[in-house]
Amino acid sequence: MLFFTQCFGAVLDLIHLRFQHYKAKRVFSAAGQLVCVVNPTHSLKYAPTRCAAAQTSTEQGALPPCHHHDAVHDPQLVPCTCPLFSCPWEGHLEVVVSHLRQTHRINILQGAEIVFLATDMHLPAPTDWIIMHSCLGHQFLLVLRKQEKYEGHPQFFATMMLIGTPTQADNFTYRLELNRNQRRLKWEATPRSVLECVDSVISDGDCLVLNTSLAQLFSDNGSLAIGIAITTSKVHNAEAEM
Amino acid sequence: MLFFTQCFGAVLDLIHLRFQHYKAKRVFSAAGQLVCVVNPTHSLKYAPTRCAAAQTSTEQGALPPCHHHDAVHDPQLVPCTCPLFSCPWEGHLEVVVSHLRQTHRINILQGAEIVFLATDMHLPAPTDWIIMHSCLGHQFLLVLRKQEKYEGHPQFFATMMLIGTPTQADNFTYRLELNRNQRRLKWEATPRSVLECVDSVISDGDCLVLNTSLAQLFSDNGSLAIGIAITTSKVHNAEAEM
C-alpha cells in the first residue's frame, strides 16, 4: 500500500514538473532560451551576525569575511557560500561549486543567456530560490529571496554573485530582466563576489527589488520568469558610451 | 531694507539653480540630452476617495473617472488632472495642458528623450515632482511621488501618463531609466491615460518603484536623474521581437 502511495506521489510530481516546463516554454518560446525551473527552499538560517565583517577586506588573499569558525585557519580557505544553511564547511574557492552541487544540491546551468523560472512565489517569507550559472569561464550564483525587511511587507530581492574574488567580479556585468504584459523591468550591475555575503547585499538593497504588487504583475500563475544575461564589463562600457 | 533682503534671496536662488543645472549637465554631459531640473512640491491633497471609480469605464466617451462634482455635467468635460491639488476646474481634454501650465505652473518640455532631475529627494513624504513632456504630437505628464504606503517606509513611485484617452495611450511606450555607478534600472510600460487617476496607478504599484536605499544608490547629492524616452508601440514590439 505504501509502495502504491509513493508511486502515485512520484507520478504527481512528474506531472507538476512537466506542467512547469510547459509554462516556462510558453512564456519564453520566442526567445529560444534555456529555461530552468527553480523550486523554492525555505531557508533554515537567518543569523544576522554571520556576516558582520562582510563589508571589509574582501580582496583576494584577505581573510574570508563570512568566516564562522573560531579556530586559526588557512587564509585561502573560504566558508560555504550557500545562503540557505549555516554550513560548517570551508574549502578553497575552486571547490565551492562542487560543494554547492553535492552537499546543497544546487543546480548548475550553462549558457550566456538563461531564464530562471521561480515557482510558488506566494510562499511565505523567508524563502530562497537559488541556481548556479556557468558562463564566460566562470560560475555565478543567482539568489532570489523573499524576505520581510519590514514586518508584514514581504519583498523580493534578486542578485547575482561571482564564485570568485571581488577583483574578478569587477570584470562582469549581469542583467536581470522581467518582461510581461507590455511591461519590462531591467536591472544591470556588476556582480558581487561570494566572499561578500549575499545577506549584506540584500540588506543594502543593492540588487533588483520588487514589491509584492510588482512581483504579481510580472508573475504568471504564481511563477516569476527572470531573464539572465552576463557580459564582460568592456562590452557594458561600450554600450554605455553609445 | 526689505528690498535688499529680497534681492539677496533672489541672488541665492539664482546661484542654487545654476548649481543644479551644472550638476545635471555633469551627470548627462555625454548623452547630450535636455535636462530639466524639477523641484519638489509638497502635495496639498491626499484624499483617498477622490479616485474611487478610477478602475472602471475609462474608455473614450465614458464618464471621467476622477469626477468630483455632484452636479450633472457634460460627459466630454474632464476634471483637473493635476495630482497636487483638489482643483475644482474641469474642461475639455484639449485644454488640460494649458490649465496645468497656467494654473498649476507645471513646466512643459519638448523632445523625444529628456532627463528629469528631481531635487531634494530627502524631503519627507508626501512629496511630488511633476513635469509635462511634449513628444510625438502628444503631451505626457510625468509624476515622481515619494509616499509612505507603509508607515515609516517611504518609497518613490514614477509613472508617465498621456494627456489623452486610454485608446490613444495604448499607442505609446515610455521608458524610465536610472544609471549611476555601474548600475542601471529600466522600466518600460504603456502609459496610462490621465483619465485614470495617478493615485490609483501608484496604489496598484504598476509603475517604477524604488525603495529609499535604491533611490539613494542612484542619487547624486540628493538629486535623482531619470532618463525619459517615449516611442510608439510599434517600435517597442519590433524591439521585443529582436
Side-chain angles (χ1 to χ4, degrees):
Chain A
M1 183 62 197
L2 184 68
F3 174 75
F4 284 111
T5 314
Q6 280 181 341
C7 279
F8 184 66
V11 168
L12 276 184
D13 280 355
L14 278 172
I15 291 170
H16 181 70
L17 273 174
R18 181 83 206 142
F19 177 69
Q20 296 282 9
H21 257 286
Y22 170 74
K23 239 179 8 183
K25 275 188 182 162
R26 191 157 48 85
V27 174
F28 284 88
S29 56
Q33 289 166 315
L34 179 68
V35 176
C36 175
V37 176
V38 186
N39 292 314
T41 317
H42 195 78
S43 186
L44 294 179
K45 71 101 202 162
Y46 272 92
T49 54
R50 191 191 173 207
C51 305
Q55 306 291 40
T56 57
S57 61
T58 50
E59 281 304 304
Q60 194 162 18
L63 195 76
C66 298
H67 181 240
H68 45 101
H69 301 272
D70 290 329
V72 177
H73 74 296
D74 182 344
Q76 292 192 322
L77 292 183
V78 172
C80 173
T81 57
C82 179
L84 289 174
F85 306 97
S86 284
C87 169
W89 182 90
E90 62 178 19
H92 287 266
L93 205 49
E94 294 74 21
V95 288
V96 168
V97 172
S98 62
H99 168 73
L100 291 176
R101 289 188 75 167
Q102 287 158 18
T103 310
H104 302 298
R105 297 180 180 277
I106 296 175
N107 282 332
I108 191 160
L109 287 165
Q110 306 278 335
E113 296 198 13
I114 61 168
V115 176
F116 175 102
L117 188 81
T119 64
D120 305 313
M121 299 287 288
H122 63 278
L123 286 181
T127 301
D128 280 320
W129 291 257
I130 301 175
I131 54 160
M132 281 189 290
H133 181 190
S134 178
C135 174
L136 301 169
H138 285 81
Q139 277 77 40
F140 299 83
L141 192 68
L142 182 87
V143 180
L144 171 68
R145 176 171 293 173
K146 187 176 186 176
Q147 192 176 329
E148 288 189 11
K149 230 174 161 178
Y150 309 117
E151 214 185 309
H153 309 302
Q155 289 179 300
F156 293 88
F157 302 87
T159 189
M160 201 132 203
M161 310 196 77
L162 176 75
I163 301 175
T165 66
T167 315
Q168 289 173 320
D170 282 344
N171 297 324
F172 297 98
T173 297
Y174 73 98
R175 191 182 72 213
L176 305 179
E177 182 172 342
L178 306 172
N179 193 348
R180 193 167 173 260
N181 279 335
Q182 294 179 298
R183 285 165 187 83
R184 198 184 291 190
L185 185 64
K186 273 190 206 181
W187 165 260
E188 268 180 47
T190 303
R192 299 284 193 96
S193 155
V194 287
L195 297 176
E196 305 174 69
C197 244
V198 70
D199 297 355
S200 63
V201 172
I202 286 172
S203 63
D204 290 352
D206 188 7
C207 55
L208 177 65
V209 186
L210 290 177
N211 279 334
T212 317
S213 55
L214 262 187
Q216 276 170 350
L217 271 169
F218 283 108
S219 295
D220 180 22
N221 210 5
S223 294
L224 183 75
I226 306 177
I228 303 167
I230 296 174
T231 51
T232 55
S233 292
K234 281 173 190 169
V235 174
H236 174 67
N237 292 340
E239 269 177 8
E241 278 160 22
M242 281 169 74
Chain B
M1 184 63 195
L2 184 68
F3 174 73
F4 284 110
T5 315
Q6 281 180 342
C7 278
F8 184 66
V11 168
L12 276 184
D13 281 355
L14 278 171
I15 292 169
H16 181 71
L17 273 173
R18 182 81 204 142
F19 176 68
Q20 296 283 7
H21 257 287
Y22 169 74
K23 237 177 15 181
K25 274 187 182 163
R26 192 160 45 85
V27 174
F28 283 89
S29 56
Q33 289 166 316
L34 180 68
V35 176
C36 175
V37 176
V38 186
N39 292 314
T41 317
H42 195 78
S43 186
L44 295 178
K45 70 100 200 159
Y46 272 92
T49 55
R50 190 189 174 208
C51 306
Q55 306 290 42
T56 56
S57 61
T58 50
E59 279 305 303
Q60 194 165 14
L63 194 75
C66 298
H67 181 241
H68 45 102
H69 300 273
D70 290 331
V72 176
H73 73 296
D74 182 343
Q76 291 191 321
L77 292 183
V78 172
C80 172
T81 57
C82 179
L84 290 174
F85 305 97
S86 282
C87 169
W89 181 89
E90 62 177 19
H92 287 267
L93 205 49
E94 293 76 21
V95 287
V96 167
V97 172
S98 62
H99 167 75
L100 291 176
R101 289 187 76 167
Q102 287 159 17
T103 310
H104 302 298
R105 297 179 179 278
I106 296 175
N107 282 332
I108 190 160
L109 287 164
Q110 307 278 336
E113 295 198 12
I114 61 169
V115 175
F116 175 102
L117 187 81
T119 65
D120 304 313
M121 298 288 286
H122 63 278
L123 287 181
T127 301
D128 281 319
W129 292 257
I130 300 174
I131 53 160
M132 282 187 289
H133 182 190
S134 178
C135 174
L136 301 170
H138 286 81
Q139 277 79 37
F140 299 83
L141 192 68
L142 181 86
V143 180
L144 171 68
R145 176 171 293 173
K146 187 176 186 177
Q147 192 175 328
E148 287 190 10
K149 228 173 161 178
Y150 309 117
E151 215 184 310
H153 309 302
Q155 290 179 300
F156 293 89
F157 302 87
T159 188
M160 202 134 202
M161 310 195 77
L162 177 75
I163 301 176
T165 64
T167 315
Q168 289 173 319
D170 282 344
N171 296 324
F172 297 97
T173 297
Y174 74 98
R175 191 181 74 213
L176 305 179
E177 183 171 342
L178 306 172
N179 193 348
R180 196 170 172 259
N181 279 333
Q182 296 179 297
R183 286 165 185 83
R184 199 183 290 190
L185 186 63
K186 275 189 205 180
W187 165 260
E188 269 180 46
T190 303
R192 300 284 193 96
S193 156
V194 287
L195 298 177
E196 306 175 71
C197 242
V198 70
D199 297 355
S200 62
V201 171
I202 286 172
S203 64
D204 290 352
D206 188 9
C207 54
L208 177 65
V209 185
L210 290 177
N211 279 334
T212 317
S213 55
L214 262 187
Q216 275 170 351
L217 271 169
F218 283 109
S219 294
D220 180 20
N221 209 4
S223 294
L224 184 75
I226 306 177
I228 304 167
I230 296 173
T231 50
T232 54
S233 291
K234 279 173 191 170
V235 175
H236 174 67
N237 292 340
E239 268 177 9
E241 278 161 20
M242 281 168 74

